[in-house]
Amino acid sequence: MASGSLPSEWVRLNVGGKVFMTTRSTLCRYSNSFLCRLCQDDPALPTFKDETGAYLIDRDPEYFSPVLNYLRHGKLCYDQGVSLEAILEEAEFYNLESLVMLVKQRLKDGDSAEEGRDMVYRILPCRETELTMMLSTMSRGWKVEQVLTVNQSYSQAYTQAQHDSEFLIIVSQEGRQLQSPFAGQSDKLSKTT
């Protein structure tokens, strides 16, 4: 074997300018996939190589990485911010039916880093004397959307103590986890009297 050349089991892929190295057995995990046909030099599939001998594939390397990892260990793993729809497009391009089905199921179930998450909103009543404490003890994941003053007639406001105004705090949280908006408290919120 010449210096700098790979053993015949190893394959170099140049995907969108980024070089990936893997084995033929990994690429041929699914025999009728584009990648298996590519590394077996299928005559019906025209191929081009760069100056290093890497197969040239004009696709986005960011979305190829989860495809290659799926071929390596059979699990779909991807970085936050990577679109499942884009991975689906790649799985279809590479003719990986099992990955196509898996991604479609994840999209259907809403198991995406970017989509499928519900927004949970809560409206929390409080008095002016409690407002600062409630805002400063907001737990991680909760975002204050708006603070509203509860409308009172002029005569009611005049007769109440000066620092006894009522407010509504509107908070939101992305995701399915329902937890208290206040650090260290249970999910049961008591109404201020």
Side-chain angles (χ1 to χ4, degrees):
M1 174 171 50
S3 175
S5 65
L6 295 173
S8 62
E9 172 63 11
W10 285 91
V11 177
R12 188 180 286 133
L13 305 169
N14 181 335
V15 181
K18 182 175 180 181
V19 176
F20 293 85
M21 289 181 50
T22 190
T23 62
R24 289 183 192 281
S25 59
T26 296
L27 294 177
C28 289
R29 180 170 284 214
Y30 300 98
S31 60
N32 55 343
S33 74
F34 170 88
L35 294 167
C36 183
R37 291 177 53 214
L38 179 75
C39 73
Q40 291 182 343
D41 294 320
D42 184 338
L45 182 68
T47 59
F48 300 96
K49 294 182 180 180
D50 69 10
E51 65 280 355
T52 67
Y55 289 99
L56 290 167
I57 303 173
D58 187 21
R59 303 298 286 186
D60 191 323
E62 181 179 10
Y63 305 123
F64 179 72
S65 200
V67 170
L68 184 56
N69 284 328
Y70 176 78
L71 291 173
R72 287 176 173 149
H73 49 71
K75 295 180 182 174
L76 177 58
C77 301
Y78 55 97
D79 293 332
Q80 184 176 10
V82 173
S83 163
L84 270 178
E85 288 85 359
I87 296 172
L88 176 61
E89 188 69 32
E90 295 305 294
E92 289 171 343
F93 175 81
Y94 294 114
N95 195 31
L96 296 167
E97 287 303 315
S98 60
L99 181 56
V100 167
M101 291 184 328
L102 178 60
V103 174
K104 282 183 177 180
Q105 186 62 47
R106 291 255 182 113
L107 285 168
K108 181 181 172 190
D109 294 344
D111 187 16
S112 169
E114 296 179 348
E115 296 184 29
R117 293 186 175 229
D118 297 326
M119 290 299 291
V120 178
Y121 291 92
R122 294 224 172 134
I123 300 173
L124 310 169
C126 71
R127 300 207 180 271
E128 186 172 355
T129 55
E130 304 163 322
L131 183 61
T132 303
M133 186 267 317
M134 288 183 80
L135 292 174
S136 65
T137 59
M138 197 68 59
S139 69
R140 187 182 328 158
W142 286 95
K143 176 182 166 190
V144 175
E145 296 289 337
Q146 195 169 8
V147 178
L148 301 170
T149 304
V150 177
N151 286 336
Q152 299 176 354
S153 70
Y154 180 76
S155 61
Q156 286 176 324
Y158 186 74
T159 58
Q160 287 184 330
Q162 185 178 2
H163 296 286
D164 202 19
S165 299
E166 292 183 1
F167 293 89
L168 296 176
I169 304 172
I170 302 171
V171 296
S172 67
Q173 181 182 50
E174 184 178 331
R176 294 184 186 90
Q177 304 145 327
L178 294 178
Q179 56 183 322
S180 173
F182 302 106
Q185 293 186 4
S186 70
D187 195 32
K188 296 180 181 177
L189 299 173
S190 59
K191 216 175 191 181
T192 307
T193 57

